[in-house]
Protein backbone atom coordinates (compact mmCIF):
# COMPACT_ATOMS: atom_id res chain seq x y z
CA UNK A 1 0.00 0.00 0.00
CA UNK A 2 1.44 3.33 -1.07
CA UNK A 3 1.14 6.16 1.38
CA UNK A 4 0.05 9.48 -0.10
CA UNK A 5 2.80 12.01 -0.49
CA UNK A 6 2.75 14.74 2.17
CA UNK A 7 1.36 17.98 0.84
CA UNK A 8 4.17 20.34 -0.09
CA UNK A 9 4.58 23.11 2.43
CA UNK A 10 3.87 26.63 1.29
CA UNK A 11 7.19 28.37 0.73
CA UNK A 12 8.28 30.43 3.69
CA UNK A 13 9.03 34.07 3.00
CA UNK A 14 11.65 36.08 4.86
CA UNK A 15 9.34 38.60 6.52
CA UNK A 16 10.78 38.79 10.04
CA UNK A 17 13.53 41.36 10.68
CA UNK A 18 16.37 39.49 12.37
CA UNK A 19 18.83 42.37 12.67
CA UNK A 20 19.85 45.71 11.26
CA UNK A 21 23.51 46.33 10.47
CA UNK A 22 24.79 49.91 10.80
CA UNK A 23 27.35 49.81 8.01
CA UNK A 24 29.01 53.20 8.63
CA UNK A 25 30.26 53.49 5.06
CA UNK A 26 27.99 56.20 3.69
CA UNK A 27 25.09 55.05 1.56
CA UNK A 28 25.12 51.30 0.87
CA UNK A 29 25.09 51.02 -2.93
CA UNK A 30 24.80 47.23 -3.06
CA UNK A 31 24.41 44.36 -0.61
CA UNK A 32 25.23 40.74 -1.54
CA UNK A 33 25.38 37.34 0.08
CA UNK A 34 28.60 35.47 -0.71
CA UNK A 35 28.46 32.19 -2.64
CA UNK A 36 27.35 29.99 0.32
CA UNK A 37 25.27 32.63 2.13
CA UNK A 38 27.38 32.70 5.31
CA UNK A 39 28.73 36.19 4.74
CA UNK A 40 27.39 39.58 3.74
CA UNK A 41 29.18 42.06 1.50
CA UNK A 42 28.32 45.77 1.44
CA UNK A 43 29.46 48.38 -1.07
CA UNK A 44 29.73 51.88 0.34
CA UNK A 45 29.60 55.38 -1.08
CA UNK A 46 32.65 56.09 1.12
CA UNK A 47 34.83 53.98 -1.29
CA UNK A 48 34.94 50.95 1.03
CA UNK A 49 33.81 47.34 0.81
CA UNK A 50 32.91 45.55 4.03
CA UNK A 51 32.59 41.86 4.90
CA UNK A 52 30.17 40.84 7.66
CA UNK A 53 29.08 37.66 9.39
CA UNK A 54 25.55 36.87 8.17
CA UNK A 55 24.54 35.10 11.40
CA UNK A 56 25.86 37.69 13.87
CA UNK A 57 26.00 40.89 11.85
CA UNK A 58 29.55 41.57 13.02
CA UNK A 59 32.17 43.31 10.86
CA UNK A 60 34.96 40.95 9.80
CA UNK A 61 37.02 43.02 7.35
CA UNK A 62 37.12 46.30 5.46
CA UNK A 63 38.61 46.53 1.96
CA UNK A 64 39.89 49.91 0.74
CA UNK A 65 41.43 50.64 -2.63
CA UNK A 66 38.79 52.27 -4.80
CA UNK A 67 38.97 56.00 -5.50
CA UNK A 68 35.23 56.58 -5.54
CA UNK A 69 32.03 54.84 -4.41
CA UNK A 70 31.85 51.05 -4.77
CA UNK A 71 28.86 49.93 -6.86
CA UNK A 72 28.90 46.12 -6.97
CA UNK A 73 30.70 43.07 -5.60
CA UNK A 74 30.82 39.33 -6.23
CA UNK A 75 32.55 36.53 -4.33
CA UNK A 76 34.27 33.52 -5.86
CA UNK A 77 32.77 30.04 -5.34
CA UNK A 78 35.49 29.14 -2.79
CA UNK A 79 35.32 32.48 -0.92
CA UNK A 80 39.01 33.15 -1.53
CA UNK A 81 38.55 36.14 -3.85
CA UNK A 82 36.25 39.11 -4.31
CA UNK A 83 35.76 41.39 -7.26
CA UNK A 84 34.36 44.91 -7.03
CA UNK A 85 33.62 47.78 -9.40
CA UNK A 86 33.34 51.47 -8.83
CA UNK A 87 32.49 54.92 -10.12
CA UNK A 88 36.28 55.38 -10.40
CA UNK A 89 36.09 53.32 -13.67
CA UNK A 90 38.12 50.43 -12.21
CA UNK A 91 37.56 46.78 -11.34
CA UNK A 92 39.48 45.33 -8.39
CA UNK A 93 40.27 41.69 -7.64
CA UNK A 94 40.81 41.18 -3.89
CA UNK A 95 42.37 38.48 -1.76
CA UNK A 96 39.72 37.87 0.92
CA UNK A 97 42.01 36.71 3.72
CA UNK A 98 44.68 39.41 3.48
CA UNK A 99 42.42 42.23 2.32
CA UNK A 100 45.01 43.13 -0.31
CA UNK A 101 44.34 44.26 -3.87
CA UNK A 102 45.44 41.43 -6.16
CA UNK A 103 44.78 43.38 -9.34
CA UNK A 104 43.32 46.77 -10.25
CA UNK A 105 42.01 46.84 -13.81
CA UNK A 106 41.47 49.97 -15.86
CA UNK A 107 39.99 50.26 -19.32
CA UNK A 108 36.36 51.30 -18.93
CA UNK A 109 35.63 54.85 -20.05
CA UNK A 110 33.04 55.52 -17.33
CA UNK A 111 31.72 54.24 -14.03
CA UNK A 112 31.44 50.47 -13.75
CA UNK A 113 27.96 49.43 -12.59
CA UNK A 114 28.20 45.66 -12.24
CA UNK A 115 30.75 42.89 -11.86
CA UNK A 116 30.58 39.07 -11.70
CA UNK A 117 32.88 36.07 -11.60
CA UNK A 118 32.26 33.11 -13.85
CA UNK A 119 31.64 29.82 -12.03
CA UNK A 120 35.31 28.86 -11.76
CA UNK A 121 36.36 32.44 -10.87
CA UNK A 122 38.83 32.32 -13.77
CA UNK A 123 37.15 35.28 -15.48
CA UNK A 124 35.69 38.53 -14.13
CA UNK A 125 33.07 40.34 -16.20
CA UNK A 126 32.36 44.03 -15.72
CA UNK A 127 29.64 46.20 -17.23
CA UNK A 128 29.97 49.95 -17.52
CA UNK A 129 28.07 53.12 -18.34
CA UNK A 130 30.40 53.21 -21.41
CA UNK A 131 28.21 50.50 -23.02
CA UNK A 132 30.77 47.69 -22.88
CA UNK A 133 31.22 44.46 -20.95
CA UNK A 134 34.86 43.57 -20.42
CA UNK A 135 36.08 40.07 -19.61
CA UNK A 136 39.24 39.85 -17.50
CA UNK A 137 41.41 36.78 -16.87
CA UNK A 138 41.85 36.56 -13.08
CA UNK A 139 45.01 34.41 -13.36
CA UNK A 140 46.85 36.44 -15.97
CA UNK A 141 49.33 39.23 -15.27
CA UNK A 142 48.08 41.11 -18.34
CA UNK A 143 46.04 44.22 -17.76
CA UNK A 144 44.04 44.09 -20.99
CA UNK A 145 40.64 42.38 -21.15
CA UNK A 146 40.50 39.05 -22.98
CA UNK A 147 37.28 40.15 -24.68
CA UNK A 148 35.12 43.26 -25.03
CA UNK A 149 31.39 42.97 -25.76
CA UNK A 150 30.16 46.26 -27.21
CA UNK A 151 26.78 45.43 -28.79
CA UNK A 152 24.80 47.62 -26.34
CA UNK A 153 23.70 51.04 -27.59
CA UNK A 154 23.82 52.58 -24.11
CA UNK A 155 25.21 51.92 -20.64
CA UNK A 156 25.28 48.46 -19.07
CA UNK A 157 23.29 48.38 -15.83
CA UNK A 158 23.37 44.72 -14.84
CA UNK A 159 24.97 41.40 -15.76
CA UNK A 160 24.80 37.79 -14.59
CA UNK A 161 26.79 34.70 -15.53
CA UNK A 162 25.61 31.08 -15.58
CA UNK A 163 27.50 27.98 -16.78
CA UNK A 164 27.94 29.04 -20.40
CA UNK A 165 25.69 32.06 -20.69
CA UNK A 166 25.97 35.75 -20.04
CA UNK A 167 22.89 37.90 -19.37
CA UNK A 168 23.25 41.65 -19.80
CA UNK A 169 20.77 44.46 -19.15
CA UNK A 170 21.27 47.87 -20.71
CA UNK A 171 19.83 51.36 -20.52
CA UNK A 172 19.01 50.91 -24.24
CA UNK A 173 15.99 48.83 -23.12
CA UNK A 174 17.33 45.48 -24.26
CA UNK A 175 18.26 42.28 -22.47
CA UNK A 176 21.08 40.46 -24.28
CA UNK A 177 21.94 36.82 -23.68
CA UNK A 178 25.23 35.52 -25.01
CA UNK A 179 25.42 31.75 -25.45
CA UNK A 180 29.18 31.28 -25.17
CA UNK A 181 29.14 27.63 -26.32
CA UNK A 182 27.17 28.31 -29.48
CA UNK A 183 28.64 31.75 -30.10
CA UNK A 184 25.13 33.23 -30.35
CA UNK A 185 23.58 36.47 -29.17
CA UNK A 186 19.86 36.61 -28.30
CA UNK A 187 18.23 40.01 -27.82
CA UNK A 188 14.90 40.71 -26.08
CA UNK A 189 13.51 44.21 -26.51
CA UNK A 190 11.82 45.51 -23.35
CA UNK A 191 11.69 49.17 -24.34
CA UNK A 192 12.32 50.78 -20.96
CA UNK A 193 15.84 51.14 -19.48
CA UNK A 194 16.79 47.90 -17.70
CA UNK A 195 17.89 48.20 -14.08
CA UNK A 196 18.56 44.55 -13.19
CA UNK A 197 18.66 41.12 -14.85
CA UNK A 198 18.99 37.61 -13.47
CA UNK A 199 18.56 33.95 -14.36
CA UNK A 200 16.03 31.78 -12.57
CA UNK A 201 17.64 29.13 -10.36
CA UNK A 202 16.65 26.41 -12.83
CA UNK A 203 18.18 28.49 -15.68
CA UNK A 204 15.03 28.18 -17.80
CA UNK A 205 13.91 31.80 -17.45
CA UNK A 206 15.29 35.31 -17.23
CA UNK A 207 14.02 38.08 -15.01
CA UNK A 208 14.46 41.78 -15.76
CA UNK A 209 13.32 44.96 -14.06
CA UNK A 210 13.05 48.29 -15.82
CA UNK A 211 12.24 51.95 -15.23
CA UNK A 212 8.58 51.52 -16.23
CA UNK A 213 8.10 50.03 -12.73
CA UNK A 214 7.67 46.53 -14.14
CA UNK A 215 9.48 43.23 -13.62
CA UNK A 216 9.22 40.72 -16.48
CA UNK A 217 9.81 36.98 -16.57
CA UNK A 218 10.79 35.62 -19.99
CA UNK A 219 11.20 32.06 -21.21
CA UNK A 220 14.89 31.86 -22.00
CA UNK A 221 14.72 29.74 -25.15
CA UNK A 222 11.64 31.23 -26.84
CA UNK A 223 11.68 34.79 -25.46
CA UNK A 224 7.99 34.41 -24.61
CA UNK A 225 6.79 36.57 -21.72
CA UNK A 226 5.68 34.32 -18.87
CA UNK A 227 4.83 36.99 -16.33
CA UNK A 228 4.64 40.70 -15.65
CA UNK A 229 4.86 41.97 -12.08
CA UNK A 230 4.00 45.52 -11.05
CA UNK A 231 2.79 47.64 -8.14
CA UNK A 232 6.21 48.77 -6.95
CA UNK A 233 7.89 52.07 -7.89
CA UNK A 234 11.03 52.06 -10.04
CA UNK A 235 11.35 55.24 -12.10
CA UNK A 236 14.67 56.82 -11.33
CA UNK A 237 17.00 54.41 -9.52
CA UNK A 238 18.94 51.31 -10.48
CA UNK A 239 17.12 48.81 -8.27
CA UNK A 240 17.63 45.06 -7.83
CA UNK A 241 15.18 42.26 -8.57
CA UNK A 242 15.64 38.54 -7.94
CA UNK A 243 13.92 35.20 -7.48
CA UNK A 244 13.51 33.40 -4.16
CA UNK A 245 15.69 30.40 -3.30
CA UNK A 246 13.22 27.92 -4.83
CA UNK A 247 12.00 30.06 -7.77
CA UNK A 248 8.54 30.40 -6.19
CA UNK A 249 8.49 34.18 -5.84
CA UNK A 250 9.70 37.23 -7.72
CA UNK A 251 11.17 40.02 -5.58
CA UNK A 252 11.91 43.65 -6.33
CA UNK A 253 13.22 46.69 -4.50
CA UNK A 254 11.04 49.76 -4.62
CA UNK A 255 11.43 53.52 -4.30
CA UNK A 256 8.53 53.58 -1.80
CA UNK A 257 10.49 51.86 0.98
CA UNK A 258 9.16 48.32 0.48
CA UNK A 259 10.29 45.03 -1.03
CA UNK A 260 7.57 43.46 -3.17
CA UNK A 261 7.07 39.68 -3.37
CA UNK A 262 4.92 38.27 -6.17
CA UNK A 263 3.83 34.67 -6.71
CA UNK A 264 5.83 33.66 -9.79
CA UNK A 265 3.06 31.58 -11.40
CA UNK A 266 -0.01 33.59 -10.49
CA UNK A 267 1.61 37.03 -10.74
CA UNK A 268 -0.27 38.20 -7.65
CA UNK A 269 1.33 40.31 -4.92
CA UNK A 270 2.03 37.98 -1.97
CA UNK A 271 3.88 40.30 0.40
CA UNK A 272 4.76 43.97 0.60
CA UNK A 273 7.60 44.07 3.10
CA UNK A 274 8.02 47.47 4.81
CA UNK A 275 11.75 48.23 5.10
CA UNK A 276 11.71 51.97 5.86
CA UNK A 277 10.88 55.41 4.54
CA UNK A 278 13.59 55.76 1.87
CA UNK A 279 14.43 53.91 -1.35
CA UNK A 280 15.27 50.22 -0.95
CA UNK A 281 18.51 50.42 -2.92
CA UNK A 282 19.58 46.79 -3.15
CA UNK A 283 18.60 43.25 -2.15
CA UNK A 284 20.08 39.77 -2.13
CA UNK A 285 18.37 36.41 -1.54
CA UNK A 286 20.18 33.62 0.28
CA UNK A 287 21.25 30.83 -2.15
CA UNK A 288 19.50 28.01 -0.27
CA UNK A 289 17.42 29.39 2.62
CA UNK A 290 14.50 31.83 3.00
CA UNK A 291 16.74 34.73 4.03
CA UNK A 292 16.92 38.17 2.51
CA UNK A 293 19.24 41.17 2.70
CA UNK A 294 18.01 44.68 1.99
CA UNK A 295 19.93 47.96 1.86
CA UNK A 296 18.48 51.37 2.66
CA UNK A 297 20.62 54.49 3.07
CA UNK A 298 23.45 53.48 5.44
CA UNK A 299 21.86 50.32 6.83
CA UNK A 300 21.43 46.69 5.86
CA UNK A 301 18.53 44.60 7.13
CA UNK A 302 18.67 40.81 7.51
CA UNK A 303 15.29 39.08 7.15
CA UNK A 304 14.31 35.49 7.97
CA UNK A 305 11.24 33.27 7.65
CA UNK A 306 10.79 33.14 11.41
CA UNK A 307 11.93 35.28 14.33
CA UNK A 308 15.47 34.62 15.54
CA UNK A 309 14.48 33.28 18.98
CA UNK A 310 12.17 30.68 17.40
CA UNK A 311 14.95 29.65 15.01
CA UNK A 312 17.34 29.21 17.94
CA UNK A 313 14.83 27.06 19.85
CA UNK A 314 14.28 24.81 16.82
CA UNK A 315 17.97 24.20 16.36
Amino acid sequence: MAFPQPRPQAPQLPQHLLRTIECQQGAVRAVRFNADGNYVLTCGSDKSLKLWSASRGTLLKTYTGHGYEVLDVDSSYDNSQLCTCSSDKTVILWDVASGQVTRKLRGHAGKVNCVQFNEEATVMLSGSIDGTVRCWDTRSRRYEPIQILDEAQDGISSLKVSEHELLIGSVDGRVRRYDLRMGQLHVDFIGSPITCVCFSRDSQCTLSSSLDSTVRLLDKSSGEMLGEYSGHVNKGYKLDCCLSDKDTHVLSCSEDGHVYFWDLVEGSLTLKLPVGKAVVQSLSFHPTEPRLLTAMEGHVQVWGAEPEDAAVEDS
Side-chain angles (χ1 to χ4, degrees), residues 119-241:
E119 284 199 276
E120 299 81 31
T122 53
V123 177
M124 290 184 297
L125 300 109
S126 57
S128 165
I129 199 171
D130 68 9
T132 68
V133 170
R134 289 169 190 253
C135 312
W136 314 87
D137 187 336
T138 59
R139 299 165 301 178
S140 159
R141 290 317 270 160
R142 292 180 59 218
Y143 283 88
E144 294 80 38
I146 46 179
Q147 192 172 3
I148 299 176
L149 307 172
D150 57 4
E151 282 76 16
Q153 306 297 307
D154 208 327
I156 307 296
S157 57
S158 178
L159 67 86
K160 294 293 187 308
V161 189
S162 75
E163 291 174 32
H164 60 279
E165 291 181 313
L166 180 56
L167 192 65
I168 298 171
S170 169
V171 181
D172 68 9
R174 288 169 173 82
V175 176
R176 292 173 174 82
R177 180 170 57 88
Y178 293 83
D179 187 320
L180 304 175
R181 277 186 198 155
M182 306 294 288
Q184 291 174 334
L185 167 61
H186 306 269
V187 183
D188 289 304
F189 179 69
I190 302 295
S192 177
I194 309 295
T195 62
C196 183
V197 293
C198 54
F199 289 104
S200 59
R201 309 260 170 180
D202 65 5
S203 286
Q204 299 303 304
C205 308
T206 65
L207 193 69
S208 62
S209 62
S210 47
L211 289 182
D212 56 358
S213 298
T214 308
V215 180
R216 294 173 177 84
L217 183 72
L218 302 180
D219 181 275
K220 196 177 75 175
S221 52
S222 70
E224 179 190 355
M225 182 137 63
L226 302 176
E228 270 191 300
Y229 311 90
S230 58
H232 64 300
V233 183
N234 186 8
K235 294 177 177 168
Y237 290 83
K238 179 179 136 30
L239 302 184
D240 289 337
C241 65

Side-chain angles (χ1 to χ4, degrees), residues 198-304:
C198 54
F199 289 104
S200 59
R201 309 260 170 180
D202 65 5
S203 286
Q204 299 303 304
C205 308
T206 65
L207 193 69
S208 62
S209 62
S210 47
L211 289 182
D212 56 358
S213 298
T214 308
V215 180
R216 294 173 177 84
L217 183 72
L218 302 180
D219 181 275
K220 196 177 75 175
S221 52
S222 70
E224 179 190 355
M225 182 137 63
L226 302 176
E228 270 191 300
Y229 311 90
S230 58
H232 64 300
V233 183
N234 186 8
K235 294 177 177 168
Y237 290 83
K238 179 179 136 30
L239 302 184
D240 289 337
C241 65
C242 72
L243 287 152
S244 61
D245 57 325
K246 294 190 171 59
D247 277 346
T248 56
H249 288 80
V250 172
L251 283 74
S252 175
C253 294
S254 178
E255 292 165 24
D256 65 6
H258 294 78
V259 170
Y260 285 68
F261 291 70
W262 295 272
D263 184 286
L264 178 132
V265 177
E266 294 175 7
S268 54
L269 184 65
T270 309
L271 175 65
K272 186 177 168 184
L273 186 69
V275 180
K277 291 189 165 56
V279 175
V280 185
Q281 187 79 45
S282 178
L283 57 75
S284 180
F285 210 100
H286 192 284
T288 55
E289 295 169 16
R291 289 192 177 237
L292 176 70
L293 301 172
T294 53
M296 179 179 283
E297 296 178 325
H299 311 106
V300 163
Q301 298 80 19
V302 185
W303 305 84

